[in-house]
Amino acid sequence: MQLTDLSFRIQMKREFNKGLFMTLLSGKTLTLLLTSALLTLTGCGGGTSSGTPQWVAGVFAPDSELAGQCTANQTGSELTEKLWLRSWSNDTYLWYDEIADIDPAPFGVLPYFDQLKTQELSPSGADKDQFHFSMPTSEWDSLNQSGASVSYGAHFYLQQTDGGLDRKITVSYTEPDSPATTANLTRGAVILEIDGVNVQNAADSASIDTLNNGLFPDSVGQQTRFTVQDLDTATSREITLTAKTIVSTPVQNTKTLLTTTGKVGYLQFNSHIATAERGLFDAVNTLSDSGINDLVLDLRYNGGGLLAMASQLGYMIAGNQSTQGKIFETSTFNDKHPNTDPVTGQALTPMPFIDESIGFNSGLLGAGQTLPTLNLSRLFVLTTANTCSASEALMNSLRGIDVEVIQIGDTTCGKPYGFYPTPNCGTTFFTVQFKGENDKGFGDYSDGFVPSTSPTLASEIQGCSLSDDFSHDLGDTSERLLSAALYYRANGRCPTLLGKAAKAKPRTQVIDTGFILEDTRTQNVLLNNRILTQSPQY
């Protein structure tokens, strides 16, 4: 079944917009079909007598005139690529009126894209837009469709002061059948040295570059030497890991836990990528067959991804009766488009709770299959500051239909914004285009959802503020967050435990002194956002 068939069925069944699944044609939006016959290049940002486009401050050609005019295929130039970015941003960017309209001539294409965003700060003092990025289209397709990225298969938790001069690197979890697992690298192991550079004491730019390069490889075959101290050991050991293309396993550790008051499901969900659809389908089937009474959903490392998948999971958790006729999320665009989606051209209508498979990766799960359900009226969610975007949308949307969400862990990252990946000339661009709200109209959590024993703000959720616990495996009932969730379920209150998370503070700008460890790979940035798609596969 083709996606267009499915989206039509969803539209007819739920009277919701099929625009989520609209198709890009040769990198151009459907608007091009309507405008290309009527418009000429003489209007491209000013133009010349010969029709060559050029930049004129305050004058914007329709982006459809400029789409696909690339240096590589000799249909355009670097300037037309930049002018397309400029017009596209002016039309679709959520804060378009905060972009400084500067001459693109001094910049390359990607450096110019970096300029096309707001420079304003949020009320808490952080950058208002922390989500602006691009990546090669081939890399986006590979990562999103198959979950493939260059890695050792180990995910790291970085503890560091604002200046980066006091740091600790801990393994948070690993991917199955990866170089990390082959080397017996497991959760809780501490990285002491990378290629001979001491992690804690590195205090010059060359050493920091070595640490970052070793932690976050960007090429297959890169070899890095690590000195590690495994959990509950007093000695260290040395291992060498070789980076390879890793196909991640976003759904792990599906378990049914037996308690004195019934069966509790546990599910570790790490990313809303295309390959997760089959994993979630199977996991929920398994938990449904086992007859669980409650679910603990571990989102502590889930930075987000495909919003439609969050909608599917919301339906599978709450079931048909709770979601029937309800909104998963309403997307609000800039004031140029109060009633129409600027990307698809469709009238704005909310996203439903999707009750059928979409076939994100048809080799794993075809489109049109009825999704299994758990029919739960409450959900325990385990969170950290790495719980972002589509994961937060899931929490917000379930609260919007009165599913009781109990949050155990730390304050989430705070990303109520999202975008459509838009390709042009071999690069896919991601710029903030919408803000999401739940069925009750709430979406104001830019500083994250905060677990609280006595919530007073709409962004505070009943639950327990606790720090992550690297001394136990994920899914272990003795692990701090899972243990607290089970205790809360049995007693209706938080346990008295060590490891309480630090009280949430207003976010401030971190001054980079050159000693910060940071995963700047586009694959990492991608997976920490909410994404609507218009590709024919979706």
Side-chain angles (χ1 to χ4, degrees):
M1 177 179 293
Q2 297 298 312
L3 176 75
T4 50
D5 297 332
L6 173 60
S7 60
F8 178 75
R9 289 165 58 198
I10 292 175
Q11 180 188 35
M12 298 302 292
K13 181 177 181 181
R14 300 290 187 84
E15 298 183 356
F16 280 101
N17 183 10
K18 70 176 180 178
L20 171 63
F21 310 110
M22 295 302 287
T23 304
L24 281 180
L25 302 177
S26 303
K28 306 176 180 68
T29 63
L30 295 180
T31 308
L32 178 59
L33 298 177
L34 302 176
T35 59
S36 59
L38 302 175
L39 302 171
T40 66
L41 285 177
T42 55
C44 294
T48 68
S49 58
S50 63
T52 303
Q54 60 181 301
W55 173 75
V56 176
V59 180
F60 299 88
D63 59 272
S64 57
E65 288 188 2
L66 300 164
Q69 296 187 37
C70 315
T71 305
N73 62 20
Q74 299 182 340
T75 60
S77 64
E78 185 175 89
L79 178 59
T80 56
E81 293 183 37
K82 289 185 284 188
L83 289 176
W84 174 81
L85 281 170
R86 174 176 173 266
S87 291
W88 172 69
S89 300
N90 182 65
D91 184 45
T92 69
Y93 186 59
L94 186 62
W95 304 293
Y96 71 93
D97 53 352
E98 297 177 14
I99 298 176
D101 187 17
I102 58 178
D103 187 351
F107 302 93
V109 174
L110 296 185
Y112 182 60
F113 178 61
D114 292 340
Q115 306 302 310
L116 297 174
K117 66 176 184 176
T118 179
Q119 301 301 314
E120 299 294 322
L121 301 180
S122 73
S124 63
D127 285 334
K128 188 173 181 178
D129 185 355
Q130 306 174 55
F131 322 118
H132 197 76
F133 74 104
S134 64
M135 65 195 308
T137 298
S138 58
E139 185 178 344
W140 151 249
D141 289 340
S142 176
L143 178 60
N144 186 52
Q145 295 175 23
S146 66
S149 61
V150 177
S151 172
Y152 310 116
H155 298 261
F156 302 106
Y157 174 64
L158 307 179
Q159 295 168 276
Q160 52 193 343
T161 60
D162 287 354
L165 295 176
D166 181 20
R167 65 186 71 83
K168 181 179 181 181
I169 303 171
T170 308
V171 176
S172 54
Y173 72 97
T174 58
E175 298 288 350
D177 302 318
S178 65
T181 55
T182 300
N184 295 317
L185 194 61
T186 59
R187 176 175 172 82
V190 176
I191 308 299
L192 302 177
E193 293 185 359
I194 300 175
D195 282 336
V197 174
N198 185 279
V199 168
Q200 188 171 11
N201 299 328
D204 61 81
S205 58
S207 296
I208 296 302
D209 288 345
T210 297
L211 296 181
N212 276 319
N213 181 65
L215 283 172
F216 311 117
D218 56 14
S219 61
V220 172
Q222 175 179 324
Q223 289 191 328
T224 302
R225 189 175 73 256
F226 294 89
T227 301
V228 304
Q229 184 173 341
D230 295 311
L231 184 65
D232 297 328
T233 62
T235 59
S236 62
R237 62 186 176 101
E238 190 173 287
I239 60 175
T240 298
L241 300 180
T242 302
K244 60 184 292 188
T245 299
I246 301 292
V247 177
S248 69
T249 304
V251 181
Q252 299 184 27
N253 285 339
T254 303
K255 296 181 177 181
T256 298
L257 309 174
L258 301 179
T259 75
T260 57
T261 54
K263 297 178 179 178
V264 179
Y266 170 84
L267 175 60
Q268 177 189 342
F269 182 31
N270 298 326
S271 181
H272 292 74
I273 58 175
T275 53
E277 186 179 40
R278 180 72 203 211
L280 291 172
F281 184 91
D282 291 343
V284 173
N285 262 325
T286 297
L287 295 173
S288 177
D289 289 344
S290 68
I292 64 169
N293 306 113
D294 275 300
L295 175 65
V296 179
L297 182 63
D298 198 335
L299 297 176
R300 74 183 82 190
Y301 306 126
N302 192 319
L306 297 168
L307 196 60
M309 186 168 294
S311 172
Q312 290 177 304
L313 181 54
Y315 171 79
M316 288 190 278
I317 291 169
N320 186 67
Q321 185 173 350
S322 295
T323 60
Q324 184 69 39
K326 297 295 182 66
I327 293 168
F328 177 79
E329 184 164 285
T330 299
S331 297
T332 302
F333 293 82
N334 66 40
D335 59 12
K336 291 184 178 183
H337 306 281
N339 302 309
T340 304
D341 186 316
V343 179
T344 68
Q346 301 294 302
L348 283 179
T349 52
M351 179 186 287
F353 283 85
I354 299 173
D355 59 358
E356 293 180 317
S357 62
I358 295 173
F360 287 101
N361 189 318
S362 59
L364 297 177
L365 184 67
Q369 296 191 46
T370 301
L371 298 177
T373 60
L374 297 174
N375 300 310
L376 299 176
S377 59
R378 69 175 174 182
L379 175 70
F380 293 85
V381 182
L382 310 186
T383 65
T384 67
N386 293 313
T387 305
C388 298
S389 202
S391 293
E392 293 172 302
L394 173 65
M395 297 167 63
N396 191 46
S397 295
L398 288 175
R399 296 181 77 207
I401 61 170
D402 294 322
V403 170
E404 182 184 10
V405 175
I406 299 170
Q407 182 181 356
I408 309 293
D410 206 349
T411 301
T412 62
C413 75
K415 289 187 180 179
Y417 310 111
F419 37 59
Y420 285 91
T422 305
N424 193 58
C425 299
T427 300
T428 295
F429 297 93
F430 303 78
T431 196
V432 173
Q433 292 160 319
F434 63 88
K435 179 179 179 179
E437 297 179 346
N438 65 17
D439 193 73
K440 295 183 177 180
F442 178 73
D444 187 13
Y445 51 90
S446 59
D447 284 323
F449 284 118
V450 182
S452 172
T453 55
S454 53
T456 56
L457 302 176
S459 59
E460 294 179 335
I461 299 180
Q462 187 70 41
C464 313
S465 179
L466 297 167
S467 62
D468 204 353
D469 173 14
F470 296 102
S471 64
H472 294 88
D473 290 335
L474 297 175
D476 183 340
T477 56
S478 296
E479 188 274 322
R480 182 182 297 128
L481 301 193
L482 177 53
S483 175
L486 296 175
Y487 183 92
Y488 193 106
R489 177 180 178 273
N491 299 279
R493 59 183 175 84
C494 297
T496 303
L497 291 173
L498 297 176
K500 186 174 181 179
K503 185 177 181 180
K505 299 178 180 178
R507 293 193 174 106
T508 57
Q509 292 295 93
V510 174
I511 299 175
D512 187 354
T513 63
F515 304 130
I516 297 293
L517 303 182
E518 183 178 11
D519 187 355
T520 59
R521 297 172 298 174
T522 51
Q523 65 192 44
N524 175 66
V525 178
L526 168 68
L527 296 177
N528 285 273
N529 286 285
R530 70 173 65 189
I531 301 167
L532 290 177
T533 60
Q534 11 169 17
S535 166
Q537 291 92 341
Y538 309 141

